[in-house]
Amino acid sequence: MTQEQIDKKWWEIGNYFRRNSLWMLMYCTGCCAIELPPAMTSAYDMERLGMGPMATPRQADVLLVTGYLSLKTLRRLIYTYEQMSEPKYVVGFGSCTINGGIYHDSHAVINKLDQYIPVDVYVAGCMPNTEAVMNGFTDLMGMIKNKTARGWLDYKERNDWYKKNQLDSLGEVLVHDEFHE
């Protein structure tokens, strides 16, 4: 067996455990966040899928963005995303993350989250119901299994494009890293 085949096999084993043990960081910016508590209760029980909340970006695999993003919150979201370990995944909730939702014509709200950070799964609706949220989670797990959840790789490969979009909207975005001060 070659080293490449061994690495591939270890990556497949890692993906099996990753998709069955997803730790989420909830970035609740809008009304879609109201659908997360029911997903945690016994009726839907997202923990049966191996999913649970985490307190910090460095512990999380999945970043849940639930609602509209103002320019101020976008800056913090980028800081948060860049602190997460790889592989990392993003789930956008509601129409606000897709097209700005009811705030689409506001000068202070961004309209397309995937212009600034890669989004692996969108859960559509205003507000998406709990069943749609759970379907989004299982879609992400399927994408991890099939090796199609590659947003974090896209962010690395097209970093100049993402950084240009961030710069155009926010000005300079510096990642604060306490270890490099």
Side-chain angles (χ1 to χ4, degrees), residues 96-150:
C96 288
T97 59
I98 299 168
N99 61 17
I102 61 173
Y103 307 104
H104 69 90
D105 58 352
S106 172
H107 70 280
V109 174
I110 66 153
N111 289 338
K112 296 179 180 175
L113 179 58
D114 60 7
Q115 300 290 306
Y116 306 96
I117 61 173
V119 178
D120 295 291
V121 173
Y122 280 110
V123 180
C126 183
M127 299 176 311
N129 63 25
T130 309
E131 189 173 316
V133 170
M134 294 300 289
N135 287 338
F137 292 156
T138 55
D139 288 349
L140 177 61
M141 292 172 152
M143 290 173 69
I144 294 169
K145 179 180 181 180
N146 297 327
K147 302 177 188 119
T148 57
R150 302 176 44 84

